[in-house]
Amino acid sequence: MSELSQDDVTRLEAAAFRRLVSHLRNRPETQNIDLMNLAGFCRNCLANWYLDAAEQAGLPVTKDQSREAIYGMPYEDWKRLNQRQASDAQKAAFEINRPKE
């Protein structure tokens, strides 16, 4: 593979991020708790990482704005439309797999 410039790497990373966000927006049946239990991160994690990046860059982004950037709509609307009550099994798995920070 040829040498990539930092701009090329950044463009590729941004494209991969946009594709991940698009994929998650098109799969609302996949609950955040399922993502957390399988992968250790969820849509809220992505929104938090987005917010962290904005803060590090000195950009005026709010938590609500970062969530809307990931969910494609206000978070409360997404929850109302898509979020289901977690099962006891999902909750138990989450307690075992919960990220330790």
Side-chain angles (χ1 to χ4, degrees):
M1 189 161 138
S2 64
E3 285 291 317
L4 297 174
S5 71
Q6 186 57 49
D7 285 346
D8 290 335
V9 170
T10 299
R11 281 199 308 276
L12 294 173
E13 290 169 344
F17 174 79
R18 287 189 299 271
R19 189 167 177 181
L20 172 62
V21 169
S22 176
H23 181 77
L24 292 173
R25 285 182 185 175
N26 288 314
R27 298 294 303 268
E29 72 280 4
T30 303
Q31 297 294 294
N32 281 334
I33 195 164
D34 295 324
L35 291 168
M36 287 296 294
N37 287 340
L38 292 172
F41 78 99
C42 68
R43 292 170 184 89
N44 288 335
C45 296
L46 286 175
N48 290 340
W49 299 339
Y50 185 98
L51 181 59
D52 290 345
E55 288 173 352
Q56 289 173 3
L59 299 171
V61 175
T62 67
K63 185 173 184 174
D64 288 339
Q65 289 170 325
S66 70
R67 284 185 168 184
E68 191 164 340
I70 300 304
Y71 286 92
M73 64 182 70
Y75 179 56
E76 292 303 319
D77 291 348
W78 190 91
K79 284 191 337 182
R80 182 177 41 77
L81 293 169
N82 300 297
Q83 187 167 305
R84 297 184 312 268
Q85 183 68 24
S87 70
D88 289 339
Q90 287 171 313
K91 291 175 187 177
F94 179 76
E95 289 307 318
I96 292 168
N97 297 311
R98 175 185 294 248
K100 315 298 189 269
E101 290 192 38

